[in-house]
Amino acid sequence: QLQLQESGPGLVKSSETLSLTCTVSGGSISSSSYYWGWIRQPPGKGLEWIGSIYYSGRNYSSPSLKSRVTVSVDTSKNQFSLRMNSVTATDTAVYYCASEHVVVDYAMDVWGPGTTVTVSS
Amino acid sequence: SYELTQPLSVSVALGQTARITCGGNNIGSRNVHWYQQKPGQAPVLVIYRDSNRPSGIPERFSGSNSGNTATLTISRAQGGDEADYYCQVWDSAARVFGGGTKLTVL
C-alpha cells in the first residue's frame, strides 16, 4: 500500500528558501500511473495546489506560485521535492504531498500526514 | 483561471441527507473529485470522477455533476461525517480546489 511522508525544516526565515521532501514507500515513484503533487493549507484556510511532477521530470506549477517554485524528482531515492524561494509569512502553512492517479484525472488518492512550516521574520 | 465555488457551511440533522454543492462554469463537462478533511488530519478522497467511491468509502457518500453544479450527497448523516469538504478539478494541467465547505451534523 502506497504511503507518503513529508520531511523538512519546520521553521524558515523570511526571504529564504523553503525545502521539503516527500518519500514514497509501498510503491515506485517511477510508476506510470501517478503524478506526484504538493498542496498547502494556511492556518484556518482551504487547500491550495502548488505543483506536480511525473517520474520523467515533466512538471506543472500553480500560475500564482510558478515564479518561486521548483518541483523535482529523484527516482533513485523514491522521493520528490519542493523548493520555494523568497518566502514570506503568507507561506506559513501545512504542506502536504500526495499521489495523483493519472487514470482518474489526477485524483489525489493518497496523502502524506502533512508538515507544518512557519516562516519567521 | 478556472474557479470553483462552494458554500462556506452546510448543516444537516443526524440521520438526514446533506448536499454540498460545487459551482463552476460548465463544470458538468469536467471530472470532479471530492475530499473530506477532519480537524488536524490530511484530506481523504471520498469521490472521484463525479460519482465513484474509492474502496473503504461508505455507500452513503455519492456524487453527481451536471451543468454548472457538482454535488456531494451524504445520506443518513452521522456525527463522524462532520468535516470540511473540498471539490477539485483538473484544468489545463492545473489542479483547482474549491474553497471548502464545513459540514455540521446537528
Side-chain angles (χ1 to χ4, degrees):
Chain A
Q1 178 142 353
L2 203 60
Q3 291 185 308
L4 284 69
Q5 179 68 55
E6 307 88 352
S7 59
L11 189 63
V12 181
K13 291 184 178 178
S14 184
S15 80
E16 296 191 344
T17 297
L18 178 160
S19 294
L20 296 175
T21 295
C22 182
T23 300
V24 178
S25 58
S28 174
I29 202 168
S30 298
S31 169
S32 60
S33 298
Y34 290 101
Y35 265 75
W36 306 96
W38 287 100
I39 304 95
R40 70 179 182 179
Q41 185 171 37
K45 296 190 176 182
L47 302 172
E48 179 184 21
W49 173 69
I50 301 171
S52 302
I53 193 164
Y54 199 50
Y55 74 93
S56 63
R58 186 172 192 176
N59 67 93
Y60 304 95
S61 299
S62 168
S64 64
L65 297 172
K66 192 179 183 70
S67 64
R68 298 195 294 128
V69 163
T70 301
V71 182
S72 59
V73 63
D74 187 336
T75 55
S76 67
K77 295 182 178 179
N78 231 33
Q79 295 175 335
F80 63 107
S81 298
L82 169 69
R83 285 176 60 86
M84 181 182 297
N85 58 32
S86 304
V87 298
T88 69
T90 59
D91 296 311
T92 293
V94 176
Y95 286 75
Y96 297 100
C97 59
S99 58
E100 302 177 9
H101 210 298
V102 172
V103 174
V104 290
D105 282 27
Y106 311 98
M108 299 173 187
D109 55 356
V110 180
W111 294 64
T115 188
T116 299
V117 177
T118 302
V119 178
S120 67
S121 55
Chain B
S1 61
Y2 194 75
E3 293 186 359
L4 297 173
T5 301
Q6 297 183 237
L8 284 176
S9 63
V10 168
S11 298
V12 62
L14 187 67
Q16 298 304 302
T17 298
R19 294 179 179 84
I20 298 172
T21 59
C22 176
N25 184 31
N26 197 25
I27 195 174
S29 66
R30 300 171 184 263
N31 288 315
V32 179
H33 313 310
W34 290 93
Y35 302 88
Q36 176 193 67
Q37 186 182 32
K38 296 182 179 179
Q41 299 183 19
V44 173
L45 180 68
V46 293
I47 292 288
Y48 64 92
R49 274 189 173 177
D50 298 340
S51 58
N52 296 277
R53 281 177 292 104
S55 61
I57 301 301
E59 292 183 7
R60 301 185 299 102
F61 288 80
S62 62
S64 62
N65 185 15
S66 179
N68 293 318
T69 305
T71 303
L72 172 69
T73 300
I74 306 171
S75 305
R76 302 182 300 282
Q78 302 176 359
D81 298 331
E82 276 207 346
D84 294 326
Y85 291 85
Y86 295 89
C87 56
Q88 181 244 318
V89 300
W90 183 86
D91 174 62
S92 301
R95 287 67 165 154
V96 180
F97 286 98
T101 298
K102 181 176 182 61
L103 176 68
T104 300
V105 180
L106 304 172

